């Protein structure tokens, strides 16, 4: 997003701490996911994982606009959302490795992490599966008069799920404080979204009378600006909204999707990494506006690396749950 000098100065004056916090948050997600990929390829981590690398600006830009007790629901590609909302990387790694110290005591794994203490009602392996949960949370918040807001993250593949439209209909009828965030990373698993999605995406929420807009999902400042406005509108009782964040995943659909030549070109991936990297876009702005010097950003990255390394070490050394625990937490 291009800005003139006046708007750039206004952004800079909005709070150096916030911008550095967002930069750190994006680095934490990137480094976390790189470690996930390493653990999987070394056969240390069971199951699969769906990496969020390349999409960090969406999770961080939106969650920075939320209060801790606001709600989010996530997707099978949900590590970034979980971290951005305030989860601890050590307990997240423990969950991915099936350890008892994990958020779901090692029983949920990569695609089912939940942390109610930070407002995360859970990731969901079912495409679009958490749309009803987020809408229900917004219904509860409105009934209780708490001014809490719910954000429902989903990929563009969920635009083919009927549940999403059922709950958007109810959200508009009941004027619920929920924001539907479509992270369009262009590919439904191995198929370009243009081959699976008819018409214009923003026309779909518009059919329910839900205000909808799009944003450059690689620009954390642009995402945060729109999210802040939509969150405040929802908190003020103005009902649901829909945000289309156009982004890109650097890796495959999951960690086992290594060779992607049959559905997208290497040149496309390289172009996004070189020209549209969300961390570089934010760091270039921070340095260009003299909000931070490069050595300061390097130090933030180094600290994040140290924290992630310690989290992996914690998870590797943590015990697995005992066999006697298999029947626990099956029912509320």
């Amino acid at each position: 997003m291009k800005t003139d000098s006046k708007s750039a100065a206004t952004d800079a004056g909005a709070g150096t701490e916030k911008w550095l916090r967002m930069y750190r948050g994006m680095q934490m997600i990137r480094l976390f996911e790189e470690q996930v990929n390493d653990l999987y390829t070394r056969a240390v981590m069971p199951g699969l994982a769906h990496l969020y690398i390349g999409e960090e600006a969406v999770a961080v830009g939106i969650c920075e606009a939320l209060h801790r007790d606001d709600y989010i629901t996530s997707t099978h590609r949900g590590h970034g959302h979980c971290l951005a909302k305030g989860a601890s990387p050590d307990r997240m790694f423990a969950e991915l490795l099936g350890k008892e110290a994990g958020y779901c005591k090692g029983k949920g794994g990569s695609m089912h992490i939940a942390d109610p203490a930070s407002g995360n009602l859970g990731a969901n392996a079912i495409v679009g599966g958490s749309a009803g949960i987020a809408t229900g949370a917004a219904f509860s918040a409105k009934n209780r008069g708490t001014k809490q807001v719910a954000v429902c993250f989903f990929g563009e593949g969920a635009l083919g799920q009927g549940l999403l439209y059922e709950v958007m209909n109810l959200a508009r009828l009941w004027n619920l404080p929920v924001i539907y965030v479509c992270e369009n990373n262009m590919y439904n698993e191995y198929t370009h979204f243009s081959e699976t999605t008819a018409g214009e995406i923003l026309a779909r929420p518009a059919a329910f009378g839900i205000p909808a807009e799009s944003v450059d999902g690689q620009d954390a400042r642009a995402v945060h600006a729109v999210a802040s406005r939509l969150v405040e509108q929802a908190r003020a009782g103005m009902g649901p909204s829909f945000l289309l964040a156009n982004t890109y995943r650097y890796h495959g659909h999951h960690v086992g999707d290594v060779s992607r030549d049959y559905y997208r070109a290497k040149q496309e991936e390289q172009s996004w990494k070189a020209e549209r990297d969300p961390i570089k876009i934010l760091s270039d702005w921070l340095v260009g506006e003299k909000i931070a010097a490069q050595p300061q950003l390097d130090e933030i990255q180094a600290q994040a690396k140290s924290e992630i390394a310690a989290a992996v070490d914690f998870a590797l050394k943590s015990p697995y749950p005992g066999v006697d625990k298999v029947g626990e937490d099956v029912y509320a």
Side-chain angles (χ1 to χ4, degrees):
M1 180 181 72
K2 294 183 178 179
T3 59
D4 57 29
S5 58
K6 182 177 180 181
S7 61
T10 301
D11 276 353
T16 298
E17 287 186 11
K18 177 175 72 173
W19 302 123
L20 294 181
R21 184 168 58 243
M22 289 172 63
Y23 177 78
R24 180 184 183 280
M26 292 167 68
Q27 285 285 4
M28 287 291 289
I29 294 172
R30 177 74 56 92
L31 294 165
F32 182 95
E33 296 291 63
E34 288 174 351
Q35 282 297 308
V36 169
N37 193 50
D38 176 68
L39 291 168
Y40 177 81
T41 54
R42 290 194 291 115
V44 177
M45 192 189 86
L48 280 178
H50 303 75
L51 302 180
Y52 198 69
I53 295 176
E55 303 180 36
E56 296 92 347
V58 182
V60 170
I62 290 172
C63 289
E64 179 66 28
L66 298 173
H67 296 166
R68 184 171 175 81
D69 65 347
D70 286 330
Y71 301 113
I72 67 165
T73 59
S74 187
T75 72
H76 57 267
R77 197 180 307 283
H79 305 158
H81 310 136
C82 195
L83 283 166
K85 195 60 174 66
S88 172
D90 54 359
R91 294 189 63 190
M92 285 184 65
F93 275 120
E95 186 59 40
L96 266 62
L97 296 181
K99 301 300 184 72
E100 191 169 13
Y103 275 109
C104 300
K105 302 180 182 178
K107 300 175 183 178
S110 171
M111 291 186 279
H112 303 97
I113 293 177
D115 178 27
S118 64
N120 183 359
L121 300 181
N124 203 307
I126 299 173
V127 175
S130 67
I133 299 171
T135 308
F139 177 80
S140 169
K142 182 176 181 181
N143 275 5
R144 290 180 290 114
T146 60
K147 300 294 184 182
Q148 290 165 288
V149 172
V151 171
C152 177
F153 290 101
F154 58 93
E156 78 286 347
L159 293 168
Q161 294 286 3
L163 171 64
L164 177 63
Y165 304 106
E166 294 176 27
V167 298
M168 286 202 304
N169 182 61
L170 290 176
R172 180 69 281 173
L173 287 172
W174 296 341
N175 206 46
L176 301 181
V178 57
I179 303 167
Y180 298 101
V181 178
C182 177
E183 296 179 300
N184 182 5
N185 64 24
M186 296 175 60
Y187 292 91
N188 307 171
E189 292 192 345
Y190 318 109
T191 307
H192 194 276
F193 80 97
S194 62
E195 298 180 49
T196 62
T197 310
E200 296 295 326
I201 293 175
L202 294 184
R204 299 185 178 204
F208 298 99
I210 294 177
E213 52 191 293
S214 63
V215 68
D216 178 2
Q218 303 308 93
D219 188 333
R221 292 189 299 125
V223 174
H224 181 61
V226 177
S228 296
R229 174 165 44 81
L230 297 182
V231 167
E232 290 311 306
Q233 288 174 359
R235 214 181 295 285
M238 297 173 66
S241 59
F242 185 104
L243 180 60
L244 173 61
N246 297 301
T247 184
Y248 193 81
R249 57 170 163 86
Y250 287 0
H251 288 254
H253 170 57
H254 57 75
V255 283
D257 176 19
V258 178
S259 177
R260 296 178 288 281
D261 293 349
Y262 66 98
Y263 72 90
R264 75 182 196 190
K266 281 189 172 64
Q267 183 179 1
E268 178 184 288
E269 294 184 12
Q270 292 167 356
S271 176
W272 277 85
K273 291 177 182 179
E275 301 171 16
R276 301 294 300 140
D277 184 77
I279 294 178
K280 187 175 187 303
I281 289 172
L282 182 59
S283 65
D284 284 351
W285 178 77
L286 289 169
V287 173
E289 294 299 318
K290 296 182 171 52
I291 297 171
Q294 190 59 51
Q296 185 179 6
L297 298 183
D298 293 341
E299 177 60 24
I300 290 173
Q301 182 185 41
Q303 291 175 355
K305 280 185 178 180
S306 178
E307 186 173 341
I308 291 297
V312 172
D313 186 60
F314 167 83
L316 290 171
K317 293 177 179 177
S318 296
Y320 290 100
V323 177
D324 59 319
K325 302 292 180 64
V326 69
E328 291 184 1
D329 306 308
V330 176
Y331 300 97

